[in-house]
Amino acid sequence: METHAITLTVNDQTYRGEVEPRMLLSDYLRHELGLTGTHVGCEHGVCGACTVLLDGQPVRSCLMFAVQAEGYELSTVEGLASSAEDLHPLQQAFWEAHGLQCGFCTPGFLMTLVPFLAENPQPTEREIREAISGNLCRCTGYQNIVAAALLAAEGMPE
Amino acid sequence: MVLYNAYPSDPAMKPPPFEYIAAESVEHTLELMEEHGDGAKLLAGGQSLIPAMNFRVLQPTVLIDLNRIEDLEYIQHADDGALVVGAMTRQRDLEKSRDVERVAPLLYEAMPHIAHPQIRTRGTIGGSLAHADPAAELPAVSIAAGASMKASGPEGDRWIEAKDFFEGMFSTALGSDEMLVEVTFPAKTSRTGWRFEETSRRRGDYAMMGVAVEVELDDGGACKEARLVYLNAGDGPIEAEKAAAMLRGERPTPKLIAAAAAQAADHEIDPMGNVHASIDFQRHLARVQTERALVKAFDRAANSKA
Ligand SMILES: Cc1cc2nc3c(=O)[nH]c(=O)nc-3n(C[C@H](O)[C@H](O)[C@H](O)COP(=O)(O)OP(=O)(O)OC[C@H]3O[C@@H](n4cnc5c(N)ncnc54)[C@H](O)[C@@H]3O)c2cc1C
Ligand code: FES
Ligand code: FES
């Protein structure tokens, strides 16, 4: 199968590579770039674990081919914190409100909520629940995830 | 500094192999469709096509990617005020558009019910209509709103009324050498009323039942026009024509609305039932939704300001 040369930016780092067209963006990030923070649960768009930002917009990386990301700027969970001591405010809120247990779903929730809170810095609980309707968590329970999002919003400039 | 693939590998891949071509224009797409024939598929938002490929339910040999055709992504107005939308317009952009809210409020009201925000950022209006899933919102909305579709093919362009566009389960009036390029929604008038209702297990899930309603009142307050179109109620969007006929020419009293709802729910829809909803429950939902939707739509028609 013919491969395609692609150049894309992930968390401000430019990468260049050759991909087979059928390589999913999620597999490219994980297997080719070693960015395994983006998780893969269902690979058919239901669970949201693979959510990344494509030019700032949240998308399912399992429902895009890597070749389609040519020229785009991506953000993944690895780009949120500058170090383990200096978490992104939303990550800090997840930490404080016990918004994660096993953590498998967390990257998807974070990458969904970061653009949501940027657009809607003072959300209601209902709006948060709607924003995360496309993300599944199998162990924490959604209460604390919603609480974490509310906590993060409190600390946000209006 | 540019990094090359840090971990070149050969991971197992879910989708079947295919040749990838990024189309540059509508003309280029049509040429590619002709060249590659039946093995080729158009790739719009990929939110229905790629899951099907990940399951290997679909194994196209060539994918023609429409995502680089920028002039298929637009929300504009025609001279008569109608809303004109390019096939590759993202569902998320429609959802956020003030123009859509003003000119085609039924479409606007239905948008947030389609899947989840992260899916609407990629999913397109054209992809959803061409996919023609009987459980999808947009096919029902397009019929209720009186929309029309513009198809491009080797013979040129042609227009297809939404009510003639859907031909059953995942099937449309588009020829195998044609693509959908544009959708037009007539502008609402000062006498138009509308309502979209659906019930799903969880926000964003496919509806167990849903209905798109658009009505128009005449100057005397009688119903001039009514369209009731159901989703997940048969092998395509189902229009309840007899229920609509009961309303036309009459004043919309609660009794008449209840009778029309019963007609549609008990006799015109043909739901199939599934693990989440039995056929009886689907009919029950349809009746309750229709009553609510008609009350709201007629109320809006009576009080709307154009
Ligand atoms: C988890 C999940 C939940 C979802 N929930 C819903 C829901 O509740 N309601 C709903 O309506 N949808 C839902 N969807 C589907 C979603 O709305 C898709 O975006 C939509 O059905 C297809 O649009 P697309 O742009 O992604 O098209 P694609 O997946 O790219 O294409 C779909 C089909 O249409 C063809 N096609 C695309 N564009 C054209 C064109 N211009 N001309 C001719 N043929 C074309 C393709 O070849 C393909 O066969 C869901 C999807 C997922 C993954
Ligand atoms: S892995 Fe992409 S949505 Fe589940
Ligand atoms: S924290 Fe375990 S799945 Fe969400």
Side-chain angles (χ1 to χ4, degrees), chain A residues 100-106 137-140:
Chain A
L100 69 155
Q101 190 163 299
C102 78
F104 190 85
C105 67
T106 313
C137 173
R138 298 287 79 174
C139 60
T140 302

Short mmCIF file of all heavy atoms in Angstrom, two decimals, chain A residues 100-106 137-140, ligand 3:
data_model
loop_
_atom_site.label_atom_id
_atom_site.label_comp_id
_atom_site.label_asym_id
_atom_site.label_seq_id
_atom_site.Cartn_x
_atom_site.Cartn_y
_atom_site.Cartn_z
N LEU A 100 -10.80 11.33 39.21
CA LEU A 100 -10.38 10.12 38.51
C LEU A 100 -10.05 9.01 39.49
O LEU A 100 -9.70 9.27 40.64
CB LEU A 100 -9.16 10.37 37.63
CG LEU A 100 -7.82 10.67 38.31
CD1 LEU A 100 -6.68 10.29 37.39
CD2 LEU A 100 -7.74 12.13 38.69
N GLN A 101 -10.21 7.80 39.00
CA GLN A 101 -9.87 6.64 39.82
C GLN A 101 -8.80 5.85 39.08
O GLN A 101 -7.62 5.98 39.34
CB GLN A 101 -11.13 5.83 40.10
CG GLN A 101 -10.92 4.76 41.13
CD GLN A 101 -12.24 4.26 41.67
OE1 GLN A 101 -13.02 5.00 42.26
NE2 GLN A 101 -12.51 2.98 41.46
N CYS A 102 -9.18 5.09 38.05
CA CYS A 102 -8.14 4.37 37.31
C CYS A 102 -7.44 5.30 36.31
O CYS A 102 -6.32 5.04 35.90
CB CYS A 102 -8.71 3.16 36.58
SG CYS A 102 -9.60 3.58 35.06
N GLY A 103 -8.14 6.35 35.87
CA GLY A 103 -7.52 7.32 34.98
C GLY A 103 -7.60 7.00 33.50
O GLY A 103 -7.12 7.78 32.68
N PHE A 104 -8.23 5.89 33.16
CA PHE A 104 -8.24 5.52 31.74
C PHE A 104 -9.00 6.54 30.89
O PHE A 104 -8.57 6.91 29.80
CB PHE A 104 -8.86 4.13 31.54
CG PHE A 104 -8.66 3.63 30.14
CD1 PHE A 104 -7.49 2.98 29.77
CD2 PHE A 104 -9.61 3.86 29.15
CE1 PHE A 104 -7.28 2.56 28.47
CE2 PHE A 104 -9.40 3.45 27.84
CZ PHE A 104 -8.23 2.79 27.51
N CYS A 105 -10.11 7.00 31.41
CA CYS A 105 -10.96 7.92 30.64
C CYS A 105 -10.48 9.36 30.73
O CYS A 105 -10.94 10.22 29.98
CB CYS A 105 -12.39 7.85 31.17
SG CYS A 105 -12.52 8.51 32.86
N THR A 106 -9.58 9.64 31.71
CA THR A 106 -9.26 11.02 32.08
C THR A 106 -8.74 11.88 30.92
O THR A 106 -9.18 13.02 30.76
CB THR A 106 -8.29 11.04 33.27
OG1 THR A 106 -8.78 10.13 34.26
CG2 THR A 106 -8.18 12.43 33.87
N CYS A 137 -17.01 7.05 31.60
CA CYS A 137 -16.12 6.68 32.70
C CYS A 137 -16.73 5.46 33.36
O CYS A 137 -17.91 5.47 33.69
CB CYS A 137 -16.01 7.83 33.71
SG CYS A 137 -15.07 7.32 35.17
N ARG A 138 -15.94 4.44 33.54
CA ARG A 138 -16.48 3.20 34.09
C ARG A 138 -16.19 3.03 35.57
O ARG A 138 -16.56 2.01 36.15
CB ARG A 138 -15.93 1.98 33.32
CG ARG A 138 -16.30 1.96 31.86
CD ARG A 138 -17.73 1.61 31.61
NE ARG A 138 -18.63 2.75 31.84
CZ ARG A 138 -19.92 2.74 31.58
NH1 ARG A 138 -20.48 1.66 31.11
NH2 ARG A 138 -20.68 3.78 31.82
N CYS A 139 -15.46 3.95 36.20
CA CYS A 139 -15.20 3.70 37.61
C CYS A 139 -15.34 4.88 38.55
O CYS A 139 -15.81 4.72 39.66
CB CYS A 139 -13.88 2.96 37.81
SG CYS A 139 -12.41 3.77 37.24
N THR A 140 -14.94 6.08 38.16
CA THR A 140 -15.04 7.18 39.13
C THR A 140 -16.48 7.51 39.47
O THR A 140 -16.80 7.82 40.61
CB THR A 140 -14.40 8.46 38.57
OG1 THR A 140 -13.05 8.19 38.25
CG2 THR A 140 -14.44 9.59 39.58
S1 FES C 3 -11.45 6.84 35.98
FE1 FES C 3 -11.58 4.76 35.45
S2 FES C 3 -12.79 4.85 33.65
FE2 FES C 3 -12.92 6.85 34.38
#
